[in-house]
Amino acid sequence: MAPSPAVHVRRAAVALATAAVLGVAAAPAALADGSPSPAAPGLYGTGDPKFDGVFRQSLAFMAQHATGTNPAASAVDWLAGQQCADGGFPGYRADTSKACDPQKDEFTDATAAAVQGLAAVGGRAAVVTKGLDWLKAHQNDDGGWGYQAGSPTDANSTSIALGAFAAAGQDPAKAAAKNGKNPVETLLAFQLGCDGKEGERGAFSYLKDKDGLRADNLASAAAGLATRGKGYLVEPLKKGSDQPLKPLDCPAGDDNARPKDASAAAEAVDGYLSGALAKNGGYLMPSMPGAPAKPDQGNTADAALALAAGGHREAAEKPLAWLRSKESGTAEWAKGNPGKLAKLILATHAAGGDPRDFGGTDLVAALNETGPKPEAAASSSEKKDEEKKDGDDSFGVWWFVAVFFVASIGVGFLISGRKKKTEL
């Protein structure tokens, strides 16, 4: 049975809110110059941060960590300073001295992303713990999460929240269990089984309600990470490694067949994503109701990341190849936008590629230019100065030792000569 118009409207509203938080088409594009906003020192990007400030900053931290870059202290301070008193994070708040409204200002996706970003850079354990405590306190009775406290559980927010616990080194199934319910199993209830349409089996639905499930690319890519116990930061594939895809097996006449566990669910959603990408020639179309019917670079990068997390190098490389092509328009899409640049870096890194040579573009340099100068760049220069200083100091010390040694030899000869004269 197809979802009713009312459900489509509600799904569109929820998806639009999430799209805004994720910094995709619904949020204003960032300016091209990439200079930090004077109104928000430490924040990456100059685009309006109202919806995606926290999220894009968090993704930027993870992308920098993946490529060996340490964000500036001011950038880390900015993100940590966005946290509300109860531990939750907003999409963005301009005045951090003003108390947050828990019902309006705090979001699951922003909180979970901030936890992942701060866990990556380290040194903010108290903020991370407080964020995880907020997620536990605002978990729905079914074990999942909605995009805001009190919102119906959705697969995307639940996946990002599970990734936050994983990023903090905790087992999401145990650390986030509620009322005896495993949140990972709660997520699996959003997956389409063999009763779904051909081509949609294995996908995840954004929402789960009486009108049934509908394949959603945003939720599917997010669930591809969560079902493997991963967040956005994924270890790169080793050279030569490639796991075969295992799409959902649907025996003839058995419409009730479903993935039996999280591992099988992960393989099934990877099979769906790979098939959806192949259908379009390497990219995904937006599944958000009302979105323009054109290639979705953000969703395509998310799918590449999920496939890389599953060890599917060849399958992940296909969407990355499309994203690198001039025809995709990815260069212009991501220009000056830290969140989008970070997504490309994370996906490329996870697939074992080089983010510093993405179709001729250095994504890492482009990302770093959107915010304050990274600590790694500054400390590298300082290290050279320090090495030079150490070298100069070392030369001075050795020069002193050499002079002292020569003088000692001279004194020795003098004493020896006097002793011989005395003996004669």
Side-chain angles (χ1 to χ4, degrees), residues 190-210:
F190 288 80
Q191 190 169 31
L192 281 71
C194 291
D195 54 346
K197 297 178 181 178
E198 188 173 352
E200 294 186 354
R201 295 165 185 165
F204 277 76
S205 178
Y206 193 98
L207 292 169
K208 177 171 68 72
D209 51 42
K210 63 180 181 180

Side-chain angles (χ1 to χ4, degrees), residues 142-144 153-155 158-159 162 173 182-193 195 202-205 208 213 219 223-229 248 257-269:
D142 64 1
T153 295
D154 69 75
T158 298
S159 295
L162 291 173
N182 180 339
V184 177
E185 293 179 355
T186 300
L187 175 62
L188 298 187
F190 288 80
Q191 190 169 31
L192 281 71
D195 54 346
F204 277 76
S205 178
K208 177 171 68 72
L213 304 176
L225 297 175
T227 49
R228 285 194 163 86
L248 182 60
R258 297 182 55 78
K260 59 181 180 179
D261 53 28
S263 178
E267 290 298 338
V269 73

Side-chain angles (χ1 to χ4, degrees), residues 58-143:
S58 304
L59 287 176
F61 286 179
M62 287 181 267
Q64 288 180 319
H65 178 79
T67 53
T69 304
N70 296 320
S74 62
V76 180
D77 288 342
W78 182 90
L79 181 56
Q82 287 286 297
Q83 189 172 46
C84 300
D86 63 356
F89 278 80
Y92 166 76
R93 59 172 177 156
D95 185 0
T96 55
S97 66
K98 182 181 178 182
C100 300
D101 182 340
Q103 298 301 317
K104 296 180 180 179
D105 300 335
E106 300 171 10
F107 295 88
T108 298
D109 297 5
T111 302
V115 166
Q116 293 188 47
L118 291 169
V121 299
R124 298 297 177 126
V127 179
V128 168
T129 298
K130 201 171 181 180
L132 293 175
D133 288 343
W134 185 92
L135 289 172
K136 291 178 184 178
H138 295 81
Q139 198 171 0
N140 289 332
D141 289 338
D142 64 1

Side-chain angles (χ1 to χ4, degrees), residues 260-322:
K260 59 181 180 179
D261 53 28
S263 178
E267 290 298 338
V269 73
D270 282 352
Y272 162 75
L273 289 171
S274 179
L277 287 163
K279 179 181 178 181
N280 295 316
Y283 61 83
L284 291 179
M285 296 293 287
S287 51
M288 183 176 70
K294 61 180 182 179
D296 188 326
Q297 292 94 339
N299 253 186
T300 301
D302 291 339
L305 177 61
L307 289 166
H312 307 300
R313 179 186 293 274
E314 185 178 346
E317 177 54 33
K318 291 178 180 178
L320 286 172
W322 179 81

Side-chain angles (χ1 to χ4, degrees), residues 18-416:
T18 299
V21 172
L22 290 171
V24 290
L31 299 180
D33 63 6
S35 58
S37 169
L43 173 63
Y44 283 72
T46 57
D48 185 352
K50 183 178 180 181
F51 296 109
D52 75 333
V54 165
F55 212 100
R56 76 194 192 199
Q57 191 91 340
S58 304
L59 287 176
F61 286 179
M62 287 181 267
Q64 288 180 319
H65 178 79
T67 53
T69 304
N70 296 320
S74 62
V76 180
D77 288 342
W78 182 90
L79 181 56
Q82 287 286 297
Q83 189 172 46
C84 300
D86 63 356
F89 278 80
Y92 166 76
R93 59 172 177 156
D95 185 0
T96 55
S97 66
K98 182 181 178 182
C100 300
D101 182 340
Q103 298 301 317
K104 296 180 180 179
D105 300 335
E106 300 171 10
F107 295 88
T108 298
D109 297 5
T111 302
V115 166
Q116 293 188 47
L118 291 169
V121 299
R124 298 297 177 126
V127 179
V128 168
T129 298
K130 201 171 181 180
L132 293 175
D133 288 343
W134 185 92
L135 289 172
K136 291 178 184 178
H138 295 81
Q139 198 171 0
N140 289 332
D141 289 338
D142 64 1
W145 287 266
Y147 74 97
Q148 271 189 305
S151 298
T153 295
D154 69 75
N156 187 70
S157 295
T158 298
S159 295
I160 301 173
L162 291 173
F165 287 94
Q170 300 181 22
D171 180 351
K174 297 178 180 178
K178 183 172 183 179
N179 299 328
K181 295 182 179 179
N182 180 339
V184 177
E185 293 179 355
T186 300
L187 175 62
L188 298 187
F190 288 80
Q191 190 169 31
L192 281 71
C194 291
D195 54 346
K197 297 178 181 178
E198 188 173 352
E200 294 186 354
R201 295 165 185 165
F204 277 76
S205 178
Y206 193 98
L207 292 169
K208 177 171 68 72
D209 51 42
K210 63 180 181 180
D211 294 296
L213 304 176
R214 184 176 67 87
D216 184 278
N217 293 332
L218 182 70
S220 295
L225 297 175
T227 49
R228 285 194 163 86
K230 298 181 183 296
Y232 288 108
L233 186 55
V234 175
E235 287 295 316
L237 289 172
K238 295 180 180 179
K239 291 183 179 180
S241 64
D242 193 9
Q243 299 298 318
L245 288 163
K246 300 176 183 178
L248 182 60
D249 182 26
C250 294
D254 187 1
D255 292 341
N256 296 318
R258 297 182 55 78
K260 59 181 180 179
D261 53 28
S263 178
E267 290 298 338
V269 73
D270 282 352
Y272 162 75
L273 289 171
S274 179
L277 287 163
K279 179 181 178 181
N280 295 316
Y283 61 83
L284 291 179
M285 296 293 287
S287 51
M288 183 176 70
K294 61 180 182 179
D296 188 326
Q297 292 94 339
N299 253 186
T300 301
D302 291 339
L305 177 61
L307 289 166
H312 307 300
R313 179 186 293 274
E314 185 178 346
E317 177 54 33
K318 291 178 180 178
L320 286 172
W322 179 81
L323 287 166
R324 288 193 298 268
S325 69
K326 292 182 179 180
E327 295 74 18
S328 70
T330 301
E332 189 61 30
W333 170 80
K335 189 176 182 179
N337 189 306
K340 294 174 180 179
L341 289 166
K343 279 194 172 189
L344 295 174
I345 291 172
L346 289 168
T348 303
H349 168 77
D354 183 4
R356 291 180 171 82
D357 184 14
F358 188 82
T361 298
D362 186 338
L363 296 175
V364 180
L367 172 61
N368 292 342
E369 288 172 2
T370 68
K373 189 176 182 180
E375 291 289 342
S379 60
S380 175
S381 175
E382 291 169 2
K383 186 176 181 181
K384 288 181 180 179
D385 291 340
E386 190 65 29
E387 287 173 350
K388 183 177 183 300
K389 182 175 181 296
D390 289 344
D392 293 341
D393 290 346
S394 297
F395 175 78
V397 170
W398 283 110
W399 180 86
F400 176 78
V401 171
V403 171
F404 180 78
F405 178 71
V406 171
S408 299
I409 292 174
V411 171
F413 279 129
L414 181 60
I415 294 174
S416 177

